[in-house]
Coordinates of all heavy atoms in Angstrom, one line a residue:
M4 N 121.8 -40.1 21.6 CA 123.2 -40.4 21.4 C 123.8 -41.1 22.6 O 124.5 -42.1 22.5 CB 123.9 -39.1 21.0 CG 125.4 -39.3 20.7 SD 125.5 -40.2 19.1 CE 127.2 -40.0 18.9
K5 N 123.6 -40.6 23.8 CA 124.1 -41.1 25.0 C 123.6 -42.6 25.2 O 124.3 -43.4 25.7 CB 123.8 -40.2 26.2 CG 124.6 -39.0 26.2 CD 124.4 -38.2 27.5 CE 125.2 -37.0 27.6 NZ 125.1 -36.3 28.8
K6 N 122.3 -42.8 24.9 CA 121.7 -44.1 25.0 C 122.4 -45.1 24.2 O 122.7 -46.2 24.6 CB 120.2 -44.1 24.7 CG 119.3 -44.2 25.8 CD 117.9 -44.3 25.3 CE 117.0 -44.4 26.5 NZ 115.6 -44.5 26.2
N7 N 122.8 -44.7 22.9 CA 123.5 -45.6 22.0 C 124.8 -46.0 22.6 O 125.3 -47.1 22.5 CB 123.6 -45.0 20.6 CG 122.2 -44.9 20.0 OD1 121.3 -45.6 20.3 ND2 122.2 -44.0 19.0
I8 N 125.5 -45.0 23.1 CA 126.9 -45.3 23.6 C 126.8 -46.2 24.8 O 127.6 -47.1 25.0 CB 127.6 -44.0 24.0 CG1 127.9 -43.2 22.7 CG2 128.8 -44.2 24.8 CD1 128.4 -41.8 22.9
K9 N 125.8 -46.0 25.7 CA 125.6 -46.9 26.8 C 125.4 -48.4 26.4 O 125.9 -49.3 26.9 CB 124.5 -46.4 27.7 CG 124.8 -45.2 28.5 CD 123.6 -44.8 29.3 CE 123.9 -43.5 30.1 NZ 122.8 -43.0 30.9
W10 N 124.5 -48.5 25.3 CA 124.3 -49.9 24.8 C 125.5 -50.5 24.2 O 125.7 -51.7 24.4 CB 123.1 -49.9 23.8 CG 121.8 -49.7 24.5 CD1 120.9 -48.7 24.5 CD2 121.1 -50.7 25.3 NE1 119.8 -48.9 25.2 CE2 119.9 -50.2 25.7 CE3 121.5 -52.0 25.7 CZ2 119.0 -50.9 26.5 CZ3 120.6 -52.7 26.5 CH2 119.3 -52.2 26.9
I11 N 126.3 -49.7 23.5 CA 127.5 -50.2 22.9 C 128.5 -50.7 24.0 O 129.1 -51.8 23.9 CB 128.1 -49.2 22.0 CG1 127.2 -49.0 20.7 CG2 129.5 -49.6 21.6 CD1 127.6 -47.9 19.9
I12 N 128.7 -49.8 25.0 CA 129.6 -50.2 26.1 C 129.1 -51.4 26.9 O 129.9 -52.3 27.2 CB 129.7 -49.0 27.1 CG1 130.5 -47.8 26.3 CG2 130.4 -49.4 28.4 CD1 130.6 -46.6 27.1
L13 N 127.8 -51.5 27.1 CA 127.2 -52.7 27.8 C 127.5 -53.9 27.0 O 127.9 -55.0 27.4 CB 125.8 -52.5 28.0 CG 125.0 -53.7 28.7 CD1 125.6 -53.9 30.1 CD2 123.5 -53.4 28.8
G14 N 127.3 -53.8 25.6 CA 127.5 -55.0 24.7 C 128.9 -55.4 24.8 O 129.2 -56.6 24.8
L15 N 129.9 -54.5 24.8 CA 131.3 -54.8 24.8 C 131.7 -55.4 26.1 O 132.5 -56.4 26.1 CB 132.1 -53.5 24.5 CG 132.2 -53.0 23.1 CD1 132.8 -51.7 23.1 CD2 132.8 -54.0 22.2
I16 N 131.1 -54.9 27.2 CA 131.4 -55.5 28.5 C 130.9 -57.0 28.5 O 131.7 -57.9 29.0 CB 130.8 -54.7 29.6 CG1 131.6 -53.4 29.8 CG2 130.8 -55.4 31.0 CD1 130.9 -52.4 30.7
I17 N 129.8 -57.2 28.1 CA 129.2 -58.6 28.1 C 130.0 -59.5 27.1 O 130.4 -60.6 27.5 CB 127.7 -58.6 27.6 CG1 126.9 -57.9 28.7 CG2 127.2 -60.0 27.3 CD1 125.4 -57.7 28.3
Y18 N 130.4 -59.0 25.9 CA 131.2 -59.8 25.0 C 132.5 -60.1 25.6 O 132.9 -61.3 25.6 CB 131.4 -59.0 23.7 CG 132.4 -59.7 22.8 CD1 132.0 -60.9 22.1 CD2 133.7 -59.3 22.6 CE1 132.8 -61.5 21.2 CE2 134.5 -59.9 21.8 CZ 134.1 -61.0 21.1 OH 135.0 -61.7 20.3
F19 N 133.2 -59.2 26.2 CA 134.6 -59.5 26.8 C 134.5 -60.4 28.0 O 135.3 -61.2 28.3 CB 135.4 -58.2 27.1 CG 135.9 -57.6 25.8 CD1 135.4 -56.3 25.5 CD2 136.8 -58.2 25.1 CE1 135.9 -55.7 24.3 CE2 137.3 -57.6 23.9 CZ 136.8 -56.4 23.5
S20 N 133.4 -60.3 28.8 CA 133.1 -61.2 29.9 C 132.9 -62.6 29.4 O 133.5 -63.6 29.9 CB 131.9 -60.8 30.7 OG 132.0 -59.5 31.2
I21 N 132.2 -62.8 28.3 CA 132.0 -64.2 27.7 C 133.3 -64.8 27.2 O 133.6 -65.9 27.5 CB 131.0 -64.1 26.6 CG1 129.6 -63.8 27.1 CG2 131.0 -65.4 25.7 CD1 128.5 -63.5 26.1
V22 N 134.1 -63.9 26.5 CA 135.4 -64.4 26.0 C 136.3 -64.8 27.2 O 137.0 -65.8 27.1 CB 136.0 -63.4 25.0 CG1 137.4 -63.8 24.7 CG2 135.1 -63.2 23.8
T23 N 136.3 -63.9 28.2 CA 137.2 -64.1 29.3 C 136.9 -65.4 30.1 O 137.7 -66.2 30.4 CB 137.2 -63.0 30.3 OG1 137.6 -61.8 29.6 CG2 138.1 -63.2 31.5
V24 N 135.6 -65.7 30.3 CA 135.2 -66.9 30.9 C 135.6 -68.1 30.2 O 136.2 -69.1 30.7 CB 133.6 -66.9 31.1 CG1 133.1 -68.3 31.6 CG2 133.2 -65.9 32.2
D25 N 135.4 -68.2 28.9 CA 135.8 -69.3 28.0 C 137.3 -69.4 28.0 O 137.9 -70.5 28.0 CB 135.2 -69.2 26.6 CG 133.8 -69.7 26.6 OD1 133.3 -70.3 27.7 OD2 133.1 -69.6 25.6
Y26 N 138.0 -68.3 27.9 CA 139.5 -68.3 27.9 C 140.0 -68.9 29.2 O 140.9 -69.8 29.2 CB 140.1 -66.9 27.8 CG 141.6 -66.9 27.9 CD1 142.4 -67.3 26.8 CD2 142.2 -66.4 29.0 CE1 143.8 -67.3 26.9 CE2 143.5 -66.3 29.1 CZ 144.4 -66.8 28.1 OH 145.7 -66.8 28.2
L27 N 139.5 -68.5 30.4 CA 140.0 -69.1 31.7 C 139.7 -70.5 31.8 O 140.4 -71.3 32.3 CB 139.3 -68.3 32.8 CG 139.8 -66.8 32.9 CD1 139.0 -66.1 34.0 CD2 141.3 -66.7 33.2
R28 N 138.5 -70.9 31.2 CA 138.2 -72.4 31.3 C 139.1 -73.1 30.4 O 139.5 -74.2 30.8 CB 136.7 -72.6 30.9 CG 135.7 -72.1 31.9 CD 134.3 -72.4 31.6 NE 134.0 -73.8 31.4 CZ 133.7 -74.6 32.4 NH1 133.7 -74.2 33.6 NH2 133.5 -75.9 32.2
A29 N 139.5 -72.6 29.3 CA 140.5 -73.3 28.4 C 141.8 -73.4 29.1 O 142.5 -74.4 28.9 CB 140.6 -72.5 27.0
Q30 N 142.2 -72.3 29.8 CA 143.5 -72.4 30.5 C 143.5 -73.5 31.6 O 144.5 -74.0 31.9 CB 143.8 -71.1 31.2 CG 144.1 -70.0 30.2 CD 145.3 -70.3 29.3 OE1 146.3 -70.6 29.8 NE2 145.1 -70.1 28.0
N31 N 142.3 -73.8 32.2 CA 142.2 -74.8 33.2 C 141.8 -76.2 32.5 O 141.4 -77.1 33.3 CB 141.2 -74.4 34.2 CG 141.7 -73.3 35.1 OD1 142.9 -73.2 35.4 ND2 140.8 -72.3 35.3
D32 N 141.9 -76.3 31.2 CA 141.7 -77.5 30.5 C 140.2 -78.0 30.7 O 140.0 -79.2 30.9 CB 142.6 -78.6 30.8 CG 142.7 -79.7 29.8 OD1 142.5 -79.4 28.6 OD2 143.1 -80.8 30.1
Q33 N 139.3 -77.1 30.6 CA 137.9 -77.4 30.8 C 137.1 -77.0 29.5 O 137.6 -76.1 28.7 CB 137.2 -76.6 31.9 CG 137.8 -77.0 33.3 CD 137.3 -76.1 34.4 OE1 136.8 -75.0 34.2 NE2 137.4 -76.6 35.6
A34 N 136.0 -77.5 29.2 CA 135.2 -77.2 28.0 C 134.6 -75.8 28.2 O 134.2 -75.4 29.3 CB 134.0 -78.2 27.8
P35 N 134.5 -75.0 27.1 CA 133.9 -73.7 27.2 C 132.4 -73.7 27.4 O 131.7 -74.7 27.1 CB 134.2 -73.1 25.8 CG 134.4 -74.3 24.9 CD 134.9 -75.4 25.8
I36 N 131.9 -72.7 28.0 CA 130.5 -72.6 28.3 C 129.7 -71.9 27.1 O 128.6 -72.4 26.8 CB 130.3 -71.8 29.6 CG1 130.9 -72.5 30.8 CG2 128.8 -71.5 29.8 CD1 130.8 -71.7 32.1
F37 N 130.3 -70.8 26.6 CA 129.6 -70.0 25.6 C 129.8 -70.3 24.2 O 129.3 -69.7 23.3 CB 129.9 -68.5 25.9 CG 129.4 -68.1 27.3 CD1 130.4 -67.8 28.3 CD2 128.1 -68.0 27.6 CE1 130.0 -67.5 29.5 CE2 127.7 -67.6 28.8 CZ 128.7 -67.3 29.8
A38 N 130.7 -71.3 23.9 CA 131.0 -71.7 22.5 C 130.3 -73.0 22.2 O 130.0 -73.8 23.1 CB 132.6 -71.9 22.4
I39 N 130.0 -73.2 20.9 CA 129.2 -74.3 20.4 C 130.2 -75.3 19.8 O 131.0 -75.0 19.0 CB 128.2 -73.8 19.4 CG1 127.2 -72.8 20.0 CG2 127.5 -75.0 18.8 CD1 126.3 -72.2 19.0
Q40 N 130.0 -76.6 20.2 CA 130.8 -77.7 19.6 C 130.5 -77.8 18.1 O 129.3 -77.9 17.8 CB 130.5 -79.0 20.3 CG 131.4 -80.1 19.8 CD 131.1 -81.4 20.6 OE1 130.7 -81.4 21.7 NE2 131.5 -82.5 20.0
S41 N 131.5 -77.8 17.3 CA 131.3 -77.9 15.9 C 131.8 -79.2 15.2 O 131.2 -79.7 14.3 CB 131.9 -76.6 15.2 OG 133.3 -76.7 15.3
V42 N 132.9 -79.7 15.8 CA 133.6 -80.8 15.2 C 134.1 -81.8 16.2 O 134.6 -81.3 17.2 CB 134.8 -80.4 14.2 CG1 135.4 -81.7 13.6 CG2 134.3 -79.5 13.1
T43 N 134.0 -83.1 16.0 CA 134.7 -84.0 16.9 C 135.5 -84.9 16.0 O 135.0 -85.6 15.0 CB 133.7 -84.9 17.6 OG1 132.9 -84.1 18.4 CG2 134.4 -86.0 18.5
Y44 N 136.8 -84.9 16.1 CA 137.7 -85.7 15.3 C 137.8 -87.2 15.9 O 137.7 -87.4 17.0 CB 139.1 -85.1 15.3 CG 139.2 -83.8 14.5 CD1 139.2 -82.6 15.2 CD2 139.3 -83.8 13.2 CE1 139.3 -81.4 14.5 CE2 139.4 -82.6 12.4 CZ 139.4 -81.4 13.1 OH 139.4 -80.3 12.4
K45 N 138.0 -88.1 14.9 CA 138.1 -89.5 15.3 C 139.6 -89.8 15.6 O 140.1 -90.8 15.1 CB 137.6 -90.4 14.2 CG 136.1 -90.2 14.0 CD 135.6 -91.1 12.9 CE 134.1 -90.8 12.8 NZ 133.5 -91.7 11.7
D46 N 140.3 -89.1 16.4 CA 141.6 -89.3 16.8 C 141.7 -89.7 18.3 O 142.8 -89.8 18.8 CB 142.5 -88.1 16.5 CG 142.0 -86.9 17.3 OD1 141.0 -86.9 18.0 OD2 142.7 -85.8 17.3
G47 N 140.6 -89.9 18.9 CA 140.5 -90.1 20.3 C 139.5 -89.3 21.0 O 139.2 -89.4 22.2
G48 N 139.0 -88.3 20.2 CA 137.9 -87.4 20.8 C 138.2 -86.0 20.9 O 137.6 -85.3 21.7
T49 N 139.1 -85.5 20.1 CA 139.4 -84.0 20.0 C 138.1 -83.3 19.6 O 137.5 -83.7 18.6 CB 140.5 -83.7 19.0 OG1 141.7 -84.4 19.5 CG2 140.8 -82.2 18.9
K50 N 137.8 -82.2 20.3 CA 136.6 -81.5 20.0 C 137.0 -80.0 19.7 O 137.8 -79.4 20.3 CB 135.6 -81.5 21.2 CG 135.1 -82.9 21.4 CD 134.2 -83.0 22.6 CE 133.7 -84.4 22.8 NZ 132.8 -84.5 23.9
V51 N 136.3 -79.4 18.7 CA 136.5 -78.1 18.3 C 135.2 -77.3 18.7 O 134.1 -77.7 18.3 CB 136.7 -77.9 16.8 CG1 136.9 -76.4 16.4 CG2 138.0 -78.7 16.5
Y52 N 135.3 -76.2 19.3 CA 134.2 -75.3 19.8 C 134.4 -73.9 19.1 O 135.5 -73.4 19.0 CB 134.2 -75.1 21.3 CG 134.0 -76.4 22.0 CD1 135.1 -77.1 22.4 CD2 132.8 -76.8 22.5 CE1 134.9 -78.3 23.2 CE2 132.6 -78.0 23.2 CZ 133.7 -78.7 23.5 OH 133.5 -79.8 24.3
L53 N 133.3 -73.4 18.6 CA 133.3 -72.0 18.0 C 132.5 -71.1 18.8 O 131.4 -71.3 19.2 CB 132.7 -72.1 16.6 CG 133.5 -72.8 15.6 CD1 132.7 -72.9 14.2 CD2 134.8 -72.2 15.3
G54 N 133.1 -69.9 19.1 CA 132.5 -68.8 19.9 C 132.4 -67.6 19.0 O 132.6 -67.7 17.8
L55 N 132.0 -66.5 19.5 CA 131.9 -65.3 18.8 C 133.2 -64.6 18.5 O 133.7 -63.8 19.3 CB 130.9 -64.3 19.5 CG 129.5 -64.7 19.6 CD1 128.7 -63.8 20.5 CD2 128.8 -64.8 18.3
G56 N 133.9 -65.1 17.5 CA 135.2 -64.5 17.1 C 136.4 -65.4 17.7 O 137.5 -65.0 17.5
Y57 N 136.1 -66.5 18.3 CA 137.2 -67.3 18.9 C 136.9 -68.8 18.7 O 135.8 -69.2 18.4 CB 137.4 -67.0 20.3 CG 136.3 -67.2 21.3 CD1 136.2 -68.4 21.9 CD2 135.3 -66.3 21.5 CE1 135.1 -68.7 22.8 CE2 134.2 -66.6 22.3 CZ 134.2 -67.8 23.0 OH 133.1 -68.0 23.8
K58 N 137.9 -69.6 18.9 CA 137.8 -71.0 18.7 C 138.6 -71.7 19.8 O 139.6 -71.2 20.2 CB 138.4 -71.5 17.4 CG 138.3 -73.0 17.1 CD 139.1 -73.4 15.8 CE 138.5 -73.0 14.6 NZ 139.2 -73.5 13.4
V59 N 138.0 -72.8 20.3 CA 138.6 -73.6 21.4 C 138.8 -75.0 20.8 O 137.8 -75.6 20.4 CB 137.8 -73.6 22.7 CG1 138.5 -74.4 23.7 CG2 137.6 -72.2 23.2
I60 N 140.0 -75.5 20.9 CA 140.3 -76.9 20.5 C 140.7 -77.7 21.7 O 141.8 -77.4 22.3 CB 141.3 -77.0 19.4 CG1 140.9 -76.2 18.2 CG2 141.5 -78.5 19.0 CD1 142.0 -76.1 17.1
R61 N 139.9 -78.7 22.1 CA 140.3 -79.5 23.2 C 140.8 -80.8 22.7 O 140.1 -81.7 22.2 CB 139.1 -79.8 24.1 CG 138.6 -78.5 24.8 CD 137.7 -78.8 25.9 NE 138.4 -79.5 27.0 CZ 137.8 -80.4 27.8 NH1 136.6 -80.7 27.7 NH2 138.5 -80.9 28.8
Y62 N 142.1 -81.0 22.7 CA 142.8 -82.1 22.1 C 142.7 -83.3 23.1 O 142.8 -83.2 24.3 CB 144.3 -81.8 21.9 CG 144.6 -80.9 20.8 CD1 144.8 -79.5 21.1 CD2 144.6 -81.3 19.5 CE1 145.1 -78.6 20.1 CE2 144.8 -80.4 18.5 CZ 145.1 -79.1 18.8 OH 145.3 -78.2 17.8
H63 N 142.3 -84.5 22.5 CA 142.3 -85.7 23.2 C 142.8 -86.8 22.2 O 142.0 -87.7 21.8 CB 140.9 -86.0 23.7 CG 140.9 -87.2 24.7 ND1 141.4 -88.4 24.4 CD2 140.3 -87.3 25.9 CE1 141.2 -89.2 25.4 NE2 140.6 -88.6 26.4
V64 N 144.0 -86.7 21.8 CA 144.6 -87.6 20.8 C 145.2 -88.8 21.5 O 145.9 -88.7 22.6 CB 145.8 -86.9 20.1 CG1 146.4 -87.8 19.0 CG2 145.3 -85.6 19.4
I65 N 144.9 -90.0 21.0 CA 145.4 -91.2 21.6 C 146.9 -91.1 21.4 O 147.4 -91.0 20.3 CB 144.8 -92.5 21.0 CG1 143.3 -92.5 21.2 CG2 145.5 -93.7 21.4 CD1 142.6 -93.6 20.5
D66 N 147.7 -91.3 22.5 CA 149.2 -91.3 22.5 C 149.6 -89.9 21.9 O 150.6 -89.9 21.1 CB 149.8 -92.5 21.7 CG 149.4 -93.8 22.4 OD1 149.3 -93.8 23.6 OD2 149.3 -94.8 21.7
G67 N 149.0 -88.9 22.3 CA 149.4 -87.5 21.7 C 148.9 -86.4 22.7 O 149.0 -86.6 23.9
R68 N 148.5 -85.3 22.1 CA 148.1 -84.1 22.8 C 147.0 -84.4 23.7 O 146.0 -85.0 23.4 CB 147.9 -83.0 21.9 CG 149.0 -82.5 21.2 CD 148.7 -81.3 20.3 NE 148.5 -80.1 21.1 CZ 148.4 -78.9 20.6 NH1 148.4 -78.7 19.3 NH2 148.3 -77.8 21.4
Q69 N 147.0 -83.8 24.9 CA 145.9 -83.8 25.9 C 145.7 -82.4 26.5 O 145.6 -82.3 27.7 CB 146.2 -84.8 27.0 CG 146.5 -86.2 26.5 CD 145.2 -86.9 26.0 OE1 144.1 -86.7 26.5 NE2 145.4 -87.7 24.9
D70 N 145.7 -81.4 25.7 CA 145.6 -80.1 26.2 C 144.6 -79.3 25.4 O 143.8 -79.9 24.7 CB 147.0 -79.3 26.1 CG 147.5 -79.2 24.6 OD1 147.1 -80.0 23.8 OD2 148.2 -78.3 24.3
T71 N 144.5 -78.0 25.7 CA 143.5 -77.1 25.1 C 144.1 -75.9 24.5 O 145.0 -75.3 25.1 CB 142.4 -76.7 26.2 OG1 141.9 -77.9 26.8 CG2 141.3 -75.9 25.6
D72 N 143.7 -75.5 23.3 CA 144.1 -74.3 22.6 C 143.0 -73.3 22.5 O 141.8 -73.7 22.3 CB 144.6 -74.6 21.1 CG 146.0 -75.0 21.0 OD1 146.7 -74.9 22.0 OD2 146.5 -75.4 20.0
F73 N 143.3 -72.0 22.6 CA 142.3 -71.0 22.5 C 142.9 -69.9 21.6 O 144.0 -69.5 21.7 CB 142.1 -70.3 23.9 CG 141.0 -69.3 23.9 CD1 139.7 -69.6 24.3 CD2 141.3 -67.9 23.6 CE1 138.7 -68.6 24.3 CE2 140.3 -67.0 23.6 CZ 139.0 -67.3 24.0
G74 N 142.1 -69.5 20.6 CA 142.6 -68.5 19.7 C 141.4 -68.0 18.8 O 140.3 -68.2 19.1
T75 N 141.8 -67.4 17.7 CA 140.8 -66.8 16.7 C 140.2 -68.0 15.9 O 140.7 -69.1 16.0 CB 141.4 -65.8 15.8 OG1 142.4 -66.5 15.0 CG2 142.0 -64.7 16.6
W76 N 139.3 -67.7 15.0 CA 138.7 -68.7 14.2 C 139.7 -69.3 13.2 O 139.5 -70.4 12.6 CB 137.6 -68.2 13.3 CG 136.3 -68.0 14.1 CD1 135.9 -68.6 15.2 CD2 135.2 -67.1 13.7 NE1 134.6 -68.1 15.6 CE2 134.2 -67.2 14.7 CE3 135.0 -66.2 12.6 CZ2 133.0 -66.5 14.6 CZ3 133.8 -65.5 12.6 CH2 132.8 -65.7 13.6
F77 N 140.9 -68.7 13.1 CA 141.9 -69.1 12.1 C 142.9 -70.1 12.7 O 143.8 -70.6 11.9 CB 142.6 -67.9 11.5 CG 141.6 -67.0 10.9 CD1 141.4 -65.7 11.5 CD2 140.9 -67.3 9.7 CE1 140.5 -64.8 10.9 CE2 140.0 -66.4 9.2 CZ 139.8 -65.2 9.7
I78 N 142.8 -70.5 14.0 CA 143.8 -71.5 14.5 C 143.4 -72.8 13.9 O 142.3 -73.1 13.6 CB 143.8 -71.6 16.0 CG1 142.5 -72.0 16.6 CG2 144.3 -70.3 16.6 CD1 142.6 -72.3 18.1
I79 N 144.4 -73.6 13.6 CA 144.2 -74.9 12.9 C 144.5 -76.0 13.8 O 145.3 -75.9 14.8 CB 145.0 -75.0 11.6 CG1 146.5 -74.8 11.9 CG2 144.6 -74.0 10.6 CD1 147.4 -75.1 10.8
Y80 N 143.9 -77.2 13.5 CA 144.1 -78.4 14.3 C 145.4 -79.0 14.0 O 145.8 -79.2 12.9 CB 142.9 -79.4 13.9 CG 143.2 -80.8 14.4 CD1 142.9 -81.2 15.7 CD2 143.8 -81.8 13.5 CE1 143.1 -82.5 16.1 CE2 144.0 -83.0 13.9 CZ 143.6 -83.4 15.2 OH 143.9 -84.7 15.6
K81 N 146.2 -79.2 15.1 CA 147.5 -79.9 15.0 C 147.6 -81.0 16.0 O 147.5 -80.7 17.2 CB 148.6 -78.9 15.3 CG 148.7 -77.7 14.3 CD 149.9 -76.8 14.7 CE 149.5 -75.4 14.6 NZ 150.4 -74.5 15.2
S82 N 147.7 -82.2 15.5 CA 147.7 -83.3 16.4 C 149.0 -83.4 17.3 O 149.0 -84.0 18.3 CB 147.4 -84.6 15.7 OG 148.4 -84.9 14.8
Q83 N 150.1 -82.8 16.8 CA 151.3 -82.8 17.5 C 151.7 -81.3 17.9 O 151.4 -80.4 17.2 CB 152.4 -83.4 16.6 CG 152.2 -84.8 16.2 CD 152.2 -85.7 17.3 OE1 152.9 -85.6 18.3 NE2 151.3 -86.7 17.2
K84 N 152.3 -81.2 19.0 CA 152.6 -79.8 19.5 C 153.7 -79.2 18.6 O 154.5 -79.7 18.0 CB 153.2 -79.8 20.9 CG 152.1 -79.9 21.9 CD 152.6 -79.6 23.3 CE 151.4 -79.5 24.2 NZ 151.8 -79.1 25.5

């Protein structure tokens, strides 16, 4: 029983570390490390990355948004703020 709890705690620590690294990179307008690129829009190069329970959208809209959004898988692409 104690071994199982240790593995669960270790898994949670690793998971939250991964999410935190990608969140901090998104805050600094950098591409995530642990998320996989899933879509590239033809609006100037906006890219969507999917991680384990989260999504990162790096906007690169011509004459539009040039920032990064971080959220759950349910956040949607919005070309305007």
